[in-house]
Amino acid sequence: MRTRRRKGEWAVGLDSDVVTESVRRLVATAQNGLEVLRFGGLEPGASSSPYQVVERTPMYRLRRYFPESDTASTGFPVILVPPMMVSAEVYDVTRDAGAVGTLHEAGLDPWVVDFGSPDQEEGGWKRTLTDHLLALDEIVDCVRAYTGRDVHLGGYSQGGMFCYQAAAYRRSRGIASLITFGSPVDTLAALPFGIPEIVATRSADFLADHVFNRLAITGWMARTGFQLLDPVKTLRSRVDFLLQLHDREALLPREPQRRFLDTEGWVAWSGPAVAEVLRQFIAHNRMMSGGFVINDRAVSLAEITCPVLAFVGEVDDIGQPLAVRGIRKAAPRAEVYEYTLRAGHFGLVVGSLAGQQTWPSVAEWVQWREGTGDRPVGIAPMVMPDPEKEGTGVSVASRLTHTVATLADVGTDFGRGVAGVAVGAVRGARDLTGEAARALPRLARLGQIQSRTRISVGGLLAEIGRKSPKRECFIFEDRVYTFDAVNRRIDNIVLGLVDNGIRPAMHVGVLMDVRPSAMAAVAAISRLGGVSVLIPPGPDVPEAVRLGGVEKIIADPENLDAAVETGLPVLVLGGGDVRDLDIEPGADVVDLERLDIASVQLPGWYVPDPGLARELAFVLFSGSGETLAVRRVTNYRWALSAFGTATAASLGRGDTMYCLAPLHHSSGLLVSFGGALAGGARIALSRGLDPSLFSEEVHRYGVTVVTYTWSMMREVLDSPSLHIDTIHPIRLFIGSGMPPGLWRRTLERFAPARVLEFYASTEGNVVLANVSGSKIGSKGRPLPGSAEVRLATYDAETGRLVEDARGFVREAQVGEVGLLLGKPGPANSAIVGVMRGVFEPGDVWVPTDYLFRRDADGDYWLIDSRRTVIQTVHGPVFTQCVADVLESIPRVDLAVAYGLTVGPRHIAVAACTLRENRAPTAAEITAAFDAIPPEERPDLVHVVPRIPLGPSYRPSADRLREQGLPDPTVRTWYLNPDTGTYKRFTKAVAAAWKAGTAG
């Protein structure tokens, strides 16, 4: 450009080349812009890869690419699955660098699943997640039938999640390997934007239950949502496109990718499918824990056994690295490998990097797994993800750094530092927020319950059913049952009970093993306003029936004979209507499963779930034989344990509680059944305690919490069929009565799971819980919302409370033996046997039967029941203390203590069983008993082959007591009163005891 002065004016001279170039750019921009406006983009002139639709159904079209080529008959088949919101063309955006073209060039046989778009398919808006997975299951069989080979199944993003889920559903049958690209498994490990877990889970639940049950995601919504994940990058790409609109040759190589992302690559997503994904894999994180539901069947990724290759994008903030690497923990039986790229979510499968690295590596992986090549460079075994080292993902730090670097090429280090602080703050607040958000509403609800408040088992089930009918209630024998189905079952049982004369307040015996029908029977009795008398199977049935005031019995087929022998009318429930019952002629037995309820009319007095907090709801039993005692539980007492358990265990809708404890035990009724309902957790049931099923069902159901009673876990730990490695979903064992030695073994075998030991008085409102689990053997402290507790000083020798000079009971100090008392609440009108004027004038307390000591930290330690304290010449001996001490010896398995009369004296005897048949030495026994005062030690310790267990797996000393004084053996020791040590029990010592001549 030149300037010159002409006639006193400035003039501008234009170079003809510059003018020509400017005009050319302007014309090219206009032409290309017009083409974009008319056709949505520039026409690159490249054709897509050829394919044939081999199979067509309303759910999918199965494409086989390059069907006429040699690879169609000789290549290893690879099935590629797109996500639900992305079209099948994602695998053929460009023929040269796309997935199908690259795999074909490598000699493989590529197939692509095309689900179409729901808005263009008949019934498409009603599609569910299960529909897609069952379709994929069918597709695997179809391709295997066509090719005669097992398939390599691959998927991008959610398509990869489909592949994991389908492989688990098939238990890897017919699948040579799995290949996924940016597919998250542990969805809560790395949430976008650092969203707190509690916010994500509750939002997902809300959207699933209240939004996507009515709405769907359209194609434009999917496109817009994807672009908003990185608005800076989206804006930059559009500005770059406009600035280069004049240069067609520069734009054409990237034009297919741009058109795919901007317009053509997005399809709609049906509402029911969105809801299932949100509910199962975001709110409950079931891919990680297991127990997601396909076709009403519980499935776990732990059932995947084929090799897995996961592509990880280092800057992928949708399929974040920590979430993707969750497959290593979720599928412990599979060989899991990874390939890491410096790519974002879309760049893993489309673009130059994908063409150069992703798809060639996939081809090499297939060849390696088929034995025709070496392991590809860059593919390495995946290590167990460590959230502490990896953080919570790239969503905060990398996004902030990326945005700052995009806007300006400075400040990256500062951005990363700020983001790191933000991540730490979010992570620190997330746990506290989640705990508080779950606990506070439960405690608030407990505080609102008054004596006339309507609350019951049946009422809580109905309440949840009204709010979320499709929520999963329980799993049994791999089948999943919703609250809607469970409530229908309960209502049908109610009709049968009404037809057979059951009325409100009637005491109805329930004599059933662990099964769904037992829970349904209890809930149906509650819905009628009756009282469930939960009878433990065994020799105490007649006495329990008498003590519980039972008028009719509901029994399952396995307990039918015992029920009939009581002489009461029996209603049989459970086992379906296809089994045959062996019923004696004339027996008063009605099979509820075959009862025609269609003509039953509910009477005018029927009001569903009428139970008030103060009213009696259950009758339980403790002890056995001569010590069998009645324990009455009100609706309020049940609610207290239910909501207290849910709070202490931090139960949520992502939990699945494995209920091993029978309903007739307080742990089963109050902790398992009640806690799961109050906490929103699923209930997983098994047919009794079967160690061979334990490992399998824990993984398949995604069990996070296991309930127990007494020594129940011993049956599991000692079983040779237990196959649980360090990767398991269990986070907590919860119950009551676990011996300290077994507690330690459980912690060692199932690390990092904890044990939450409860003590709950069945009468009154006392609930203690060892929430921290740090003191093995302790019952912990009172739960928030439970009764105020005090220890009344107790003289175990006289069996009386110790009073002060004014006549009031003295409160036990630290380390003193005391009787546990609980303060009655406003809903305790059904409680009998209260004590008044205990510590001060006019106070009211409900006594328990149990003696405790309290340590300096305020934790309570159970030492015995008042009924089982052994009186000896050297003072009272507490049976629970003795058993706890013996079980602290590593070689000891179980232990019990009991009293015997030998000659003129009463002695305390301790019996124990051994692990691996290795007996402790006398020195080891002496050292162990140094933990308790000399006067509280047993006179005799002996080894026995076995200790009988009661119906609740509680060790029982009754039969050992009946056998009398143990014979002198090398495995029997007596306490030498002179030295305070244990020595071998000889015939001479035994004779002296019997003659009354021993010291």
Side-chain angles (χ1 to χ4, degrees), residues 667-823:
S667 183
L669 177 69
L670 306 180
V671 175
S672 303
F673 190 25
L677 287 180
R682 292 191 308 189
I683 301 170
L685 297 176
S686 188
R687 284 194 179 276
L689 179 59
D690 186 346
S692 64
L693 289 177
F694 183 88
S695 306
E696 183 180 340
E697 291 183 338
V698 160
H699 280 295
R700 185 179 305 146
Y701 298 164
V703 172
T704 56
V705 181
V706 177
T707 65
Y708 64 84
T709 59
W710 294 97
S711 63
M712 181 179 283
M713 286 307 302
R714 171 177 168 271
E715 306 297 309
V716 175
L717 291 172
D718 288 347
S719 173
S721 59
L722 177 65
H723 301 291
I724 290 280
D725 53 24
T726 56
I727 305 174
H728 59 78
I730 301 172
R731 67 175 182 85
L732 191 67
F733 292 85
I734 183 170
S736 62
M738 182 179 285
L742 185 59
W743 189 328
R744 293 186 182 89
R745 291 178 59 198
T746 301
L747 292 178
E748 292 170 2
R749 188 68 178 84
F750 292 94
R754 297 185 301 111
V755 172
L756 176 55
E757 175 77 6
F758 270 87
Y759 165 83
S761 65
T762 49
E763 293 177 334
N765 302 327
V766 177
V767 180
L768 306 178
N770 188 341
V771 177
S772 70
S774 58
K775 297 180 180 179
I776 294 177
S778 169
K779 300 301 180 183
R781 306 175 188 178
L783 276 181
S786 67
E788 176 188 350
V789 300
R790 302 276 285 274
L791 278 185
T793 307
Y794 185 81
D795 185 341
E797 191 166 358
T798 63
R800 296 177 60 86
L801 298 176
V802 178
E803 298 177 351
D804 61 19
R806 296 185 301 160
F808 292 112
V809 174
R810 185 167 62 82
E811 185 172 1
Q813 301 302 304
V814 171
E816 280 192 304
V817 176
L819 179 68
L820 188 67
L821 310 180
K823 195 82 169 176

Side-chain angles (χ1 to χ4, degrees), residues 72 326 565:
E565 288 177 3

Side-chain angles (χ1 to χ4, degrees), residues 158-358:
Q158 193 197 26
M161 295 168 68
F162 281 164
C163 294
Y164 286 139
Q165 294 154 15
Y169 182 73
R170 297 175 60 88
R171 300 181 184 174
S172 299
R173 178 176 50 84
I175 299 176
S177 78
L178 290 171
I179 311 164
T180 63
F181 312 90
S183 300
V185 173
D186 192 355
T187 54
L188 297 181
L191 291 164
F193 310 111
I195 298 172
E197 180 180 321
I198 188 66
V199 175
T201 55
R202 295 209 167 185
S203 299
D205 257 338
F206 177 82
L207 291 172
D209 290 342
H210 303 290
V211 177
F212 291 112
N213 58 340
R214 300 181 180 89
L215 300 177
I217 294 179
T218 61
W220 71 265
M221 291 168 64
R223 180 183 69 248
T224 304
F226 182 85
Q227 292 170 347
L228 287 177
L229 288 174
D230 198 338
V232 174
K233 184 176 181 180
T234 300
L235 178 62
R236 185 183 64 184
S237 66
R238 292 187 176 181
V239 170
D240 288 345
F241 178 77
L242 292 175
L243 291 177
Q244 296 186 63
L245 196 56
H246 65 282
D247 191 350
R248 185 183 185 90
E249 296 305 315
L251 291 176
L252 282 180
R254 298 181 60 187
E255 182 61 4
Q257 181 176 332
R258 187 198 69 81
R259 290 181 63 167
F260 186 88
L261 284 175
D262 278 1
T263 55
E264 300 169 355
W266 305 96
V267 295
W269 194 358
S270 63
V274 179
E276 279 193 79
V277 169
L278 288 173
R279 187 180 295 113
Q280 293 207 61
F281 306 127
I282 304 298
H284 303 156
N285 205 16
R286 298 267 189 238
M287 284 187 69
M288 197 63 194
S289 64
F292 57 89
V293 182
I294 301 176
N295 200 27
D296 293 331
R297 195 182 104 190
V299 180
S300 169
L301 296 193
E303 296 174 282
I304 295 176
T305 54
C306 61
V308 176
L309 171 61
F311 281 80
V312 181
E314 292 181 350
V315 291
D316 184 350
D317 47 14
I318 296 178
Q320 300 196 34
L322 189 60
V324 171
R325 291 187 175 112
I327 185 61
R328 174 66 181 83
K329 183 176 181 181
R333 302 172 188 171
E335 294 180 62
V336 182
Y337 297 83
E338 69 171 74
Y339 189 103
T340 304
L341 295 85
R342 185 70 180 174
H345 197 61
F346 195 66
L348 285 172
V349 293
V350 174
S352 57
L353 188 63
Q356 295 165 8
Q357 295 188 41
T358 302

